[in-house]
Each structure stands twice: as C-alpha cells, then as structure tokens.
Amino acid sequence: MHFLCNHLLITIHLEKTNKKQTPNLKNLAYAIWPSAYREILSAEQLNYMLDNFYSIESLESQMDKGQVFELLFEDSNVVGFVAYELNCNETGLLKIHKIYLLPETQGKGFGKFMIDEVIKIAKENQQKGIFLNVNKYNKAQFFYNKLGFNISKEEVIDIGNNYIMDDYQMELLF
C-alpha cells in the first residue's frame, strides 16, 4: 500500500516471519515497549514481561503454538509487527496477540493498515471476527474502539513474579 506522508510517497507492507527473524521481533519489542508502557507498568514489570515474552526461545515457542508473526515494512525499514492466531481456543475467532509500531511511526495510518490486513486474513479463513487484549490503562483501546472493536470482557491474568495483566478483551465481529 502507498501512503503520501509529508509530500513523500512511501510504501508499506506486511511480511510473514520465520524463526530466523526472531531477533528482529525481539529488538522491535525492546525498542517499542518502554515508550508504550512506561506510564502503565513499573520498569521491573516491563523488563520481566519483555524477558519472558520476547526472548528468542519464547518467540519460537509462540510460533510453534500457532502464532503467525508479520513484520511491517515502511519502504525497506522494519517499523512494527503483528502476531495473530487463527481459531484461537477453537472459538472461530482470530486473536491478535501483539500489534506494535515504533513510536515515530504512530499516527501515520500504519496501525489501521495492519488491522485491515488482519481482518482480510480472518475473513479469508472464515473467522467470525477478531479479538485482542489491551491493558485497561492503555490509550490504544480508544484506537481499537474507533475501528469498531467493543469491550467484551475484563480479564486479570497472572503472569508470575507477583505481576498481573489488567486487561480488556475487545472484539470485532463480522
């Protein structure tokens, strides 16, 4: 897809990853999470979650369990990623496990582009809709709401080390 940004034509696209690209995913997460979560999580919890969810071993395990990771390219630069799972928990719904952009790329329409692409994938795979979790205090919930997602339930998830994720589950049904 082409975007006109500051009078420059840029091209963005998603590209499926494989295990060889897990270092890219890890590096992106470590670049994005501090700005995304600094007002929500303590530095200790942020580091704990990064170490647990974005180690090479953890990313490979997530892939083995059915998560599909796609890198977002702006021209030839990697600027974000999305991870999703078809028919999550046999619900007939696609789950977006992760969707992140480098801070300097936010506000350019790239997040909506990734959501739109995932919607296409869900529909091509006869999914009934999409759902995701978002921290209750994360401003991203307003972005998802604007795209038609609605809060379907609240979840408190114990992630170990006396930390929890206090989330809304949001869904978009077709």
Side-chain angles (χ1 to χ4, degrees):
M1 172 165 276
H2 300 289
F3 278 83
L4 192 58
C5 186
N6 296 329
H7 305 290
L8 297 172
L9 187 63
I10 57 172
T11 302
I12 62 170
H13 72 278
L14 284 170
E15 199 171 287
K16 283 187 180 164
T17 65
N18 56 43
K19 290 182 181 178
K20 291 178 187 169
Q21 293 159 312
T22 53
N24 283 338
L25 293 165
K26 179 181 178 178
N27 291 340
L28 275 169
Y30 276 77
I32 294 167
W33 270 50
S35 65
Y37 292 109
R38 71 174 161 247
E39 295 176 9
I40 300 171
L41 304 175
S42 68
E44 294 81 12
Q45 182 172 351
L46 187 129
N47 289 329
Y48 173 81
M49 292 175 73
L50 279 169
D51 291 345
N52 280 280
F53 301 158
Y54 289 97
S55 68
I56 300 299
E57 299 78 19
S58 177
L59 289 165
E60 289 178 353
S61 173
Q62 292 167 55
M63 289 176 180
D64 290 341
K65 292 177 182 170
Q67 285 191 43
V68 176
F69 286 78
E70 296 201 28
L71 292 170
L72 180 71
F73 286 83
E74 177 183 14
D75 295 325
S76 60
N77 301 313
V78 178
V79 297
F81 66 96
V82 62
Y84 57 87
E85 178 183 356
L86 292 166
N87 195 26
C88 184
N89 299 324
E90 299 184 13
T91 59
L93 299 171
L94 179 149
K95 179 174 185 180
I96 297 175
H97 286 276
K98 300 163 183 57
I99 183 166
Y100 293 105
L101 286 168
L102 290 170
E104 61 270 21
T105 64
Q106 293 176 6
K108 292 183 172 184
F110 295 179
K112 183 178 182 329
F113 170 80
M114 287 196 289
I115 295 284
D116 288 345
E117 291 299 300
V118 171
I119 288 170
K120 285 181 201 170
I121 292 163
K123 288 180 176 179
E124 288 166 1
N125 287 276
Q126 291 78 47
Q127 302 293 282
K128 297 183 288 187
I130 294 175
F131 73 102
L132 53 80
N133 280 42
V134 62
N135 183 289
K136 288 179 183 175
Y137 305 101
N138 189 332
K139 293 178 270 188
Q141 69 177 282
F142 303 111
F143 167 73
Y144 301 127
N145 190 260
K146 185 177 168 184
L147 295 178
F149 285 78
N150 294 302
I151 296 171
S152 55
K153 67 180 181 179
E154 296 183 25
E155 287 189 293
V156 176
I157 303 162
D158 185 341
I159 57 170
N161 207 37
N162 294 316
Y163 295 125
I164 62 161
M165 293 192 309
D166 191 11
D167 289 354
Y168 290 126
Q169 181 175 295
M170 299 184 77
E171 66 183 16
L172 173 67
L173 300 177
F174 309 138

